[in-house]
Amino acid sequence: MTTRTVRKLRALSPGECLDLLEPGGVGRVGVMSAEGIVMLPVNYAIAAKTVVFRTAPDTLLAAQANGPASFEADRIDEASREGWSVLVQGRVHVVSGEREVQSLERETRLEPWADGARDVWVRITPVRITGRRLGP
Amino acid sequence: MTTRTVRKLRALSPGECLDLLEPGGVGRVGVMSAEGIVMLPVNYAIAAKTVVFRTAPDTLLAAQANGPASFEADRIDEASREGWSVLVQGRVHVVSGEREVQSLERETRLEPWADGARDVWVRITPVRITGRRLGP
Protein backbone atom coordinates (compact mmCIF):
# COMPACT_ATOMS: atom_id res chain seq x y z
CA MET A 1 0.00 0.00 0.00
CA THR A 2 1.23 3.45 -0.87
CA THR A 3 0.04 6.57 0.89
CA ARG A 4 -2.07 8.51 -1.54
CA THR A 5 -2.85 12.18 -1.57
CA VAL A 6 -6.41 11.95 -2.80
CA ARG A 7 -7.97 15.07 -4.24
CA LYS A 8 -11.54 15.99 -5.00
CA LEU A 9 -12.55 16.96 -8.53
CA ARG A 10 -15.05 19.84 -8.53
CA ALA A 11 -16.79 21.33 -11.58
CA LEU A 12 -16.21 25.02 -12.25
CA SER A 13 -18.82 27.42 -13.62
CA PRO A 14 -18.17 29.12 -17.00
CA GLY A 15 -17.60 32.39 -15.10
CA GLU A 16 -15.00 30.80 -12.83
CA CYS A 17 -13.34 29.30 -15.92
CA LEU A 18 -13.09 32.68 -17.68
CA ASP A 19 -11.64 34.24 -14.52
CA LEU A 20 -8.94 31.57 -14.51
CA LEU A 21 -8.12 32.15 -18.19
CA GLU A 22 -8.17 35.95 -17.93
CA PRO A 23 -4.45 36.48 -17.13
CA GLY A 24 -3.46 34.58 -20.30
CA GLY A 25 -0.30 32.52 -20.65
CA VAL A 26 0.27 29.15 -22.26
CA GLY A 27 -2.69 27.04 -23.39
CA ARG A 28 -3.29 24.47 -26.07
CA VAL A 29 -5.40 24.70 -29.19
CA GLY A 30 -7.03 21.55 -30.55
CA VAL A 31 -8.17 21.25 -34.15
CA MET A 32 -8.85 18.39 -36.52
CA SER A 33 -6.42 17.59 -39.32
CA ALA A 34 -6.25 14.79 -41.86
CA GLU A 35 -4.04 12.88 -39.37
CA GLY A 36 -6.39 13.29 -36.42
CA ILE A 37 -6.59 15.74 -33.54
CA VAL A 38 -3.74 18.25 -33.39
CA MET A 39 -3.01 19.91 -30.04
CA LEU A 40 -0.47 22.70 -30.02
CA PRO A 41 0.63 25.10 -27.28
CA VAL A 42 0.01 28.79 -27.86
CA ASN A 43 0.67 31.94 -25.93
CA TYR A 44 -2.89 33.23 -25.54
CA ALA A 45 -4.85 36.16 -24.21
CA ILE A 46 -8.52 36.69 -23.45
CA ALA A 47 -10.26 39.52 -25.33
CA ALA A 48 -14.00 40.13 -25.00
CA LYS A 49 -14.50 36.62 -23.60
CA THR A 50 -12.82 35.00 -26.60
CA VAL A 51 -9.43 33.28 -26.76
CA VAL A 52 -6.91 34.97 -29.06
CA PHE A 53 -3.38 34.09 -30.11
CA ARG A 54 -0.94 34.84 -32.91
CA THR A 55 0.48 32.43 -35.42
CA ALA A 56 2.43 32.35 -38.67
CA PRO A 57 0.59 32.52 -42.00
CA ASP A 58 1.78 29.06 -43.09
CA THR A 59 0.53 27.11 -40.07
CA LEU A 60 -2.36 24.71 -39.64
CA LEU A 61 -3.92 27.13 -37.15
CA ALA A 62 -3.88 30.01 -39.65
CA ALA A 63 -5.70 27.81 -42.16
CA GLN A 64 -8.75 27.33 -39.93
CA ALA A 65 -11.80 29.04 -41.35
CA ASN A 66 -14.69 29.02 -38.93
CA GLY A 67 -14.17 25.36 -38.15
CA PRO A 68 -14.65 23.68 -34.78
CA ALA A 69 -11.78 24.10 -32.35
CA SER A 70 -11.09 23.61 -28.69
CA PHE A 71 -8.75 25.31 -26.28
CA GLU A 72 -7.41 23.96 -23.01
CA ALA A 73 -5.42 25.59 -20.24
CA ASP A 74 -4.47 24.20 -16.87
CA ARG A 75 -2.30 24.87 -13.87
CA ILE A 76 -1.60 21.66 -12.03
CA ASP A 77 1.02 21.43 -9.35
CA GLU A 78 2.52 17.97 -9.54
CA ALA A 79 3.89 18.07 -6.00
CA SER A 80 0.66 19.04 -4.22
CA ARG A 81 -1.59 17.50 -6.89
CA GLU A 82 -3.76 20.57 -6.82
CA GLY A 83 -4.88 22.79 -9.65
CA TRP A 84 -7.46 23.45 -12.31
CA SER A 85 -8.17 22.88 -15.96
CA VAL A 86 -10.48 24.69 -18.34
CA LEU A 87 -11.82 23.50 -21.69
CA VAL A 88 -13.25 25.93 -24.24
CA GLN A 89 -15.11 24.34 -27.13
CA GLY A 90 -16.03 26.64 -29.96
CA ARG A 91 -15.23 27.87 -33.41
CA VAL A 92 -11.97 29.22 -34.72
CA HIS A 93 -11.41 31.95 -37.25
CA VAL A 94 -8.66 34.25 -38.41
CA VAL A 95 -9.15 37.89 -37.42
CA SER A 96 -9.06 39.67 -40.76
CA GLY A 97 -10.11 43.26 -40.12
CA GLU A 98 -7.18 45.66 -39.76
CA ARG A 99 -8.94 47.70 -37.09
CA GLU A 100 -9.81 44.58 -35.13
CA VAL A 101 -6.17 43.45 -35.29
CA GLN A 102 -4.97 46.86 -34.11
CA SER A 103 -7.46 46.77 -31.28
CA LEU A 104 -6.24 43.29 -30.23
CA GLU A 105 -2.61 44.45 -30.38
CA ARG A 106 -3.43 47.37 -28.11
CA GLU A 107 -5.67 45.44 -25.78
CA THR A 108 -3.67 42.26 -25.28
CA ARG A 109 -0.02 43.22 -25.92
CA LEU A 110 0.34 39.60 -27.00
CA GLU A 111 3.80 38.84 -28.33
CA PRO A 112 4.58 35.67 -30.24
CA TRP A 113 7.47 33.77 -28.69
CA ALA A 114 8.88 31.97 -31.70
CA ASP A 115 10.75 33.79 -34.43
CA GLY A 116 9.41 34.46 -37.91
CA ALA A 117 6.44 36.56 -38.91
CA ARG A 118 3.50 35.64 -36.70
CA ASP A 119 1.12 38.28 -37.86
CA VAL A 120 -1.98 36.18 -38.12
CA TRP A 121 -4.36 36.70 -35.23
CA VAL A 122 -6.64 33.77 -34.52
CA ARG A 123 -9.74 33.84 -32.34
CA ILE A 124 -11.66 31.02 -30.73
CA THR A 125 -15.23 32.00 -29.92
CA PRO A 126 -16.55 29.79 -27.11
CA VAL A 127 -19.71 27.76 -27.52
CA ARG A 128 -19.19 25.76 -24.32
CA ILE A 129 -16.85 26.39 -21.38
CA THR A 130 -16.23 23.74 -18.77
CA GLY A 131 -13.62 23.33 -16.09
CA ARG A 132 -12.58 21.39 -13.07
CA ARG A 133 -10.63 22.07 -9.94
CA LEU A 134 -8.58 19.41 -8.20
CA GLY A 135 -8.10 20.21 -4.54
CA PRO A 136 -8.46 19.10 -0.95
CA MET B 1 8.54 49.03 -29.81
CA THR B 2 8.88 46.41 -27.11
CA THR B 3 12.00 44.36 -26.55
CA ARG B 4 11.22 40.84 -27.57
CA THR B 5 12.90 37.64 -26.54
CA VAL B 6 12.62 35.79 -29.82
CA ARG B 7 13.04 32.04 -29.78
CA LYS B 8 13.65 29.49 -32.48
CA LEU B 9 11.23 26.65 -33.04
CA ARG B 10 13.01 23.39 -33.87
CA ALA B 11 11.40 20.07 -34.81
CA LEU B 12 12.15 17.10 -32.56
CA SER B 13 12.58 13.52 -33.75
CA PRO B 14 10.14 10.85 -32.50
CA GLY B 15 12.98 9.43 -30.38
CA GLU B 16 13.65 12.80 -28.76
CA CYS B 17 9.90 13.16 -28.14
CA LEU B 18 9.67 9.79 -26.37
CA ASP B 19 12.69 10.65 -24.24
CA LEU B 20 10.93 13.85 -23.14
CA LEU B 21 7.71 11.97 -22.29
CA GLU B 22 9.49 9.10 -20.50
CA PRO B 23 9.45 10.58 -16.95
CA GLY B 24 5.64 10.97 -17.11
CA GLY B 25 3.70 13.67 -15.33
CA VAL B 26 0.76 15.76 -16.52
CA GLY B 27 -0.31 15.67 -20.16
CA ARG B 28 -3.55 16.15 -22.03
CA VAL B 29 -5.65 13.61 -23.89
CA GLY B 30 -7.68 14.77 -26.87
CA VAL B 31 -10.67 12.80 -28.14
CA MET B 32 -13.74 13.63 -30.20
CA SER B 33 -17.14 13.91 -28.55
CA ALA B 34 -20.55 14.95 -29.84
CA GLU B 35 -19.72 18.51 -28.72
CA GLY B 36 -16.35 18.65 -30.46
CA ILE B 37 -12.79 18.05 -29.37
CA VAL B 38 -12.36 17.31 -25.66
CA MET B 39 -8.93 17.92 -24.12
CA LEU B 40 -8.45 16.78 -20.54
CA PRO B 41 -5.37 16.67 -18.34
CA VAL B 42 -4.23 13.26 -17.15
CA ASN B 43 -1.43 12.00 -14.98
CA TYR B 44 0.36 9.73 -17.46
CA ALA B 45 3.22 7.29 -17.72
CA ILE B 46 5.04 5.74 -20.67
CA ALA B 47 4.98 1.95 -20.91
CA ALA B 48 6.48 0.11 -23.88
CA LYS B 49 6.43 3.31 -25.96
CA THR B 50 2.70 3.83 -25.37
CA VAL B 51 1.00 6.47 -23.23
CA VAL B 52 -0.98 5.07 -20.29
CA PHE B 53 -3.18 6.67 -17.65
CA ARG B 54 -5.96 5.73 -15.25
CA THR B 55 -9.50 6.98 -15.26
CA ALA B 56 -12.91 6.28 -13.72
CA PRO B 57 -15.27 3.79 -15.38
CA ASP B 58 -17.94 6.43 -16.03
CA THR B 59 -15.76 8.91 -17.96
CA LEU B 60 -15.59 9.80 -21.61
CA LEU B 61 -12.04 8.49 -21.72
CA ALA B 62 -13.06 5.08 -20.42
CA ALA B 63 -15.70 4.85 -23.15
CA GLN B 64 -13.16 5.07 -25.98
CA ALA B 65 -12.91 1.82 -27.88
CA ASN B 66 -10.05 1.83 -30.33
CA GLY B 67 -10.96 5.27 -31.60
CA PRO B 68 -8.57 7.99 -32.69
CA ALA B 69 -7.01 10.00 -29.89
CA SER B 70 -4.17 12.40 -29.38
CA PHE B 71 -1.98 13.19 -26.42
CA GLU B 72 0.00 16.34 -25.76
CA ALA B 73 2.58 17.20 -23.12
CA ASP B 74 4.72 20.27 -22.83
CA ARG B 75 7.08 22.06 -20.48
CA ILE B 76 7.21 25.73 -21.33
CA ASP B 77 8.78 28.25 -19.04
CA GLU B 78 6.83 31.47 -19.39
CA ALA B 79 9.63 33.63 -17.99
CA SER B 80 12.42 32.42 -20.29
CA ARG B 81 10.04 31.43 -23.11
CA GLU B 82 11.89 28.18 -23.54
CA GLY B 83 10.59 24.66 -23.58
CA TRP B 84 9.19 21.81 -25.61
CA SER B 85 5.95 20.24 -26.67
CA VAL B 86 5.18 16.75 -27.92
CA LEU B 87 2.12 15.54 -29.80
CA VAL B 88 1.23 11.85 -29.99
CA GLN B 89 -1.48 10.95 -32.49
CA GLY B 90 -2.78 7.44 -32.29
CA ARG B 91 -5.52 5.16 -31.14
CA VAL B 92 -6.96 4.79 -27.68
CA HIS B 93 -8.22 1.67 -25.98
CA VAL B 94 -9.03 0.44 -22.51
CA VAL B 95 -6.58 -2.11 -21.18
CA SER B 96 -8.81 -5.07 -20.38
CA GLY B 97 -6.55 -7.99 -19.55
CA GLU B 98 -6.01 -8.48 -15.81
CA ARG B 99 -2.38 -9.52 -16.29
CA GLU B 100 -1.70 -6.50 -18.48
CA VAL B 101 -3.23 -4.21 -15.81
CA GLN B 102 -1.12 -5.84 -13.09
CA SER B 103 1.97 -5.42 -15.22
CA LEU B 104 1.19 -1.71 -15.77
CA GLU B 105 0.57 -1.21 -12.03
CA ARG B 106 3.95 -2.75 -11.26
CA GLU B 107 5.79 -1.04 -14.08
CA THR B 108 4.44 2.49 -13.81
CA ARG B 109 3.32 2.92 -10.19
CA LEU B 110 0.82 5.36 -11.63
CA GLU B 111 -1.56 6.71 -9.02
CA PRO B 112 -4.71 8.59 -9.91
CA TRP B 113 -4.88 11.97 -8.23
CA ALA B 114 -8.61 12.49 -7.96
CA ASP B 115 -10.75 10.53 -5.57
CA GLY B 116 -13.20 7.80 -6.56
CA ALA B 117 -12.44 4.49 -8.20
CA ARG B 118 -10.11 5.09 -11.12
CA ASP B 119 -9.45 1.51 -11.99
CA VAL B 120 -9.73 1.78 -15.73
CA TRP B 121 -6.36 1.80 -17.47
CA VAL B 122 -6.34 3.49 -20.83
CA ARG B 123 -3.60 3.22 -23.43
CA ILE B 124 -2.83 5.42 -26.41
CA THR B 125 -0.79 3.60 -29.02
CA PRO B 126 1.12 6.13 -31.15
CA VAL B 127 0.74 6.25 -34.90
CA ARG B 128 2.62 9.54 -35.28
CA ILE B 129 4.86 11.39 -32.81
CA THR B 130 5.92 14.97 -33.45
CA GLY B 131 7.43 17.61 -31.25
CA ARG B 132 9.04 21.01 -31.14
CA ARG B 133 11.53 22.75 -28.97
CA LEU B 134 11.47 26.49 -28.39
CA GLY B 135 14.88 27.81 -27.46
CA PRO B 136 17.66 30.27 -28.11
Side-chain angles (χ1 to χ4, degrees):
Chain A
M1 287 288 288
T2 51
T3 308
R4 288 189 190 173
T5 312
V6 174
R7 299 304 191 186
K8 287 197 190 308
L9 208 52
R10 178 173 81 78
L12 298 170
S13 71
E16 287 176 305
C17 291
L18 277 171
D19 285 348
L20 288 164
L21 296 184
E22 193 62 42
V26 175
R28 293 127 207 118
V29 176
V31 292
M32 285 304 297
S33 80
E35 285 83 32
I37 298 169
V38 173
M39 299 154 74
L40 291 174
V42 295
N43 178 31
Y44 78 98
I46 298 292
K49 298 189 180 181
T50 65
V51 177
V52 294
F53 56 93
R54 292 170 65 163
T55 190
D58 58 346
T59 57
L60 176 71
L61 297 177
Q64 304 294 316
N66 204 28
S70 292
F71 172 82
E72 189 267 0
D74 57 57
R75 283 287 180 285
I76 296 168
D77 185 86
E78 295 189 32
S80 68
R81 301 183 173 182
E82 290 182 29
W84 54 267
S85 69
V86 167
L87 173 66
V88 174
Q89 293 170 295
R91 301 195 75 81
V92 61
H93 67 271
V94 170
V95 178
S96 50
E98 200 177 328
R99 286 174 68 173
E100 200 180 354
V101 165
Q102 283 169 355
S103 147
L104 286 176
E105 277 171 354
R106 251 193 332 269
E107 196 184 336
T108 69
R109 298 174 177 276
L110 202 56
E111 289 175 20
W113 292 357
D115 65 351
R118 283 171 194 268
D119 296 336
V120 179
W121 285 75
V122 179
R123 165 171 269 152
I124 296 176
T125 305
V127 173
R128 192 159 173 268
I129 304 179
T130 50
R132 319 187 293 176
R133 185 181 285 283
L134 194 63
Chain B
M1 288 286 288
T2 51
T3 308
R4 288 189 189 174
T5 311
V6 174
R7 299 304 190 185
K8 288 198 190 308
L9 207 52
R10 179 173 81 77
L12 298 171
S13 71
E16 288 175 303
C17 291
L18 277 172
D19 285 348
L20 288 165
L21 296 184
E22 192 62 42
V26 174
R28 292 123 208 121
V29 177
V31 292
M32 286 303 298
S33 81
E35 286 83 34
I37 298 169
V38 173
M39 299 152 76
L40 291 174
V42 294
N43 177 32
Y44 77 97
I46 297 292
K49 298 190 178 180
T50 65
V51 177
V52 294
F53 56 92
R54 292 171 65 162
T55 190
D58 58 347
T59 58
L60 176 71
L61 297 177
Q64 304 294 316
N66 204 29
S70 291
F71 172 83
E72 190 265 1
D74 57 56
R75 285 285 181 284
I76 296 168
D77 184 86
E78 294 189 30
S80 68
R81 300 182 174 184
E82 292 181 27
W84 55 266
S85 70
V86 167
L87 174 66
V88 173
Q89 292 170 297
R91 300 196 77 80
V92 61
H93 68 272
V94 171
V95 178
S96 51
E98 199 178 329
R99 285 174 68 173
E100 200 179 354
V101 165
Q102 284 170 354
S103 147
L104 286 175
E105 278 171 355
R106 250 193 333 266
E107 195 183 338
T108 69
R109 297 173 179 276
L110 201 57
E111 288 176 22
W113 291 357
D115 65 350
R118 285 175 191 265
D119 296 336
V120 178
W121 285 76
V122 178
R123 164 170 270 153
I124 295 176
T125 305
V127 172
R128 192 160 171 266
I129 303 179
T130 51
R132 319 187 292 175
R133 184 180 286 283
L134 194 64

